[in-house]
Amino acid sequence: MNMATVEQQLDHYQALYQRRAGQLTGGQQNWFSAVRQAAWVRFEQEGWPTTQHEQWRFTRLQDLAAIPFQLAVEQPQQPLDQSRLRSTLSDSAVLRVVVVNGRLHADASTLDRLPRGLRIGSLGAALQSSDPVVQAHLHHYLGRFPSPLAQLNTALFEDGVFIHLAAGQVIEQPIQIIYCQQGAKQPLLIQPRTLVVLEANSQLRLMEHFVGTSETVYLNNVVTEVVVADLAVLDYYRLVQENEAAYQLSTLGLHQGRNSTITATLLNLGGRLVRNDLSATLAGEGADCVLNGLTVLHNRQHTDHHLWVEHTQPHCHSWEYFKGVYDDHAHGVFAGCIHVYPGAQKTDAKQTNMNLLLSDQALVDSKPQLEIFADDVKCTHGATIGQIDPEALFYLRSRGLSEVQARHLLVFAFANEILQQMKWRAVAVLVERELVQRLQAPELAGVEM
Amino acid sequence: MSNPLLEIRDLHARVEGHEILKGINLTIHSGEVHSIMGPNGSGKSTLAQVLAGRETYEVTAGEVWMEGKNLLELDPEERACVGLFLAFQYPVEIPGVSTQYFLKAAVNAVRKYRGQDELDAVDFLERIKEKLALVDMDERFLNRALNEGFSGGEKKRNEVFQMAVLEPRLAVLDETDSGLDIDALRIVADGVNRLRGADRAFLVITHYQRLLNYIVPDFVHVLIDGRIVRSGGKELALELEQHGYANYEAGVGV
């Protein structure tokens, strides 16, 4: 990106900020306004990331620079055409939360009869009313190196979802947050902000589902912060199905207390470009963090996962298992750092990144990194990039499967390893259906492997 | 005598420019068990892979006929559908696919080729349960990912199990005995023996004679440097066990 476009772009956002700053949720004089101003200053100072930044070497945001995004919150609200939420989940037991253009859409959500101890609502409203839980947590879990985009979100977001689960509560109904768009003639900048707080010893299952319901270009600049207190358990899913012209830049901050467990499954079927900055901080002894990822891309889709896992306390376990399948001209990036603090003894951390290339033009950049400052730890990483194994192909064909069928099966099997780990089977089935469609492999439909 | 099930005529094959098979001639009839023995590097596994259609090997001359079809013109999957089965020396691990799903896909591919209806999951399961007993495995095994984390013995039993399910006309066993302890060897050999019959033939490739104590062959062929240098009955295997391949090999290099 040349300097001119960087500056033009900054000008554009400065104009947006100046127009909006006076009307932000929470007003100008509340506890959060100073945070917003500081975030804005950071964004102005750091500017838009370019490939000169080590963290952005493989992901060019140049295309974005040329697009004059308008803030989605300035669009008039329209009734939501719910048929556009193409069958996201058929599970009727699901608590559904719908976020349209970055704002909670109460009518489309099922929030009227929530189980005891569970609060789900508009983050904007909670901010406005200075909810003490929001005050205690919002903006604290962006990771050690928040991206400029996370700062932009903090400076300008208007709404999103706030979930608070009281101590000791176990919620059996899973929650699905659907993020979608509507009614835009011009490219929109959508900035949902979500805060999830699980108090001690509570349990929850949650999915963030990003669905492209408009065909136009938009930029989803997402920030989600998740705090899981001592002994709490979160089963988390993120399914990204933005439209193929859309951009998603996201920050996911996970923070864990003592003996807490997060199992996160990040499923990425893409948009035009998806960048995910994930930081997980294991801040209490014995915390367990499992991060499974599956990315399946085609055409010219681009996905970049930047993971930062921090072990600050002893006896914690982290596991990253990220797989990617890339066809056509798709480009995948995986960069993962495991950082072990002095004193975080008996850390057990493993990072694996496996990539399957289905075309000669597909590209993967994989960058593992370990930073270890304790001496009694077990940390490993491994990465593979390969094509379909000719021996496996021959093995299947020698049993009667056609070459096409054998290829489909091998690609599906590669992805299925992640799906098999998922406890929320309805989500696995949903993704399986997408894969069958993507692979054009009807013979695999409805398989239980 | 009836028409041969398999007829190999003057088969030559090479890999990366090296000629491995230098004119193999072999005729197998239904109901027969043939064994090919030979030292390392003599071309035993190459022959098995060439028969199954592995593309790494280039056939430079010769013909292979099976059931009236020129095998060399068929894709590997067509050969399977015609009734050829190769029990791999090194079965491939495929995480993410259960043995059951894989086998159902295989069985239905073969049925489709033969113009039969595909089996649904229930019918299929019914059919394969009895075959599991053949190799002393229980049902849980069906839900495990194909060969993933299997011991050497389990992998070979899985090959025999697949053979039992797919019911081939000709089964080629490529060093199915290698790496097996005596108990596993017995189970595998038992499974094979129970599949022997008038309308099926076996080509058992082995380095050592031991397997042939359990799977008793009708014919033994000695393969040295890409050629069958001697053929005989089962007693030939014992002779090889006593004297090794040295006599034959000495003759070849001259």
Side-chain angles (χ1 to χ4, degrees), chain B residues 82-109:
Chain B
V82 166
L84 180 81
F85 180 91
L86 170 64
F88 280 56
Q89 183 177 3
Y90 304 111
V92 181
E93 297 194 15
I94 306 183
V97 181
S98 71
T99 302
Q100 178 169 342
Y101 179 83
F102 156 70
L103 263 179
K104 183 164 153 276
V107 165
N108 280 332

Side-chain angles (χ1 to χ4, degrees), chain A residues 395 397 399-400 413 416 444 447, chain B residues 77 86 96-97 101 109 159 162:
Chain A
Y395 188 64
R397 292 180 73 190
R399 299 300 184 246
N416 198 35
L444 294 175
V447 298
Chain B
E77 56 268 34
L86 170 64
V97 181
Y101 179 83
E159 294 294 287
Q162 290 175 35

Side-chain angles (χ1 to χ4, degrees), chain A residues 284-305:
Chain A
E285 255 189 61
D288 188 354
C289 180
V290 174
L291 306 172
N292 287 325
L294 173 64
T295 298
V296 182
L297 302 184
H298 62 171
N299 297 339
R300 294 189 174 272
Q301 291 184 310
H302 177 104
T303 281
D304 180 345
H305 282 295

Side-chain angles (χ1 to χ4, degrees), chain A residues 323 389-392 394-405 409-410 412-414 416-417 420 443-444 447-449, chain B residues 49 52-55 75-77 80 85-86 88 91-92 94-98 101-102 105-106 109-110 146-147 159 162 166:
Chain A
K323 291 186 124 182
D389 175 12
E391 266 189 67
F394 177 61
Y395 188 64
L396 296 179
R397 292 180 73 190
S398 80
R399 299 300 184 246
L401 276 68
S402 72
E403 184 174 358
V404 169
Q405 202 185 354
L409 188 53
L410 289 172
F412 191 87
F414 181 85
N416 198 35
E417 238 200 330
Q420 282 173 334
E443 79 275 9
L444 294 175
V447 298
E448 275 289 330
M449 290 198 204
Chain B
Q49 298 264 322
R54 184 73 201 261
E55 283 153 359
D75 286 331
E77 56 268 34
F85 180 91
L86 170 64
F88 280 56
V92 181
I94 306 183
V97 181
S98 71
Y101 179 83
F102 156 70
V110 174
L146 185 57
N147 290 326
E159 294 294 287
Q162 290 175 35
L166 290 169

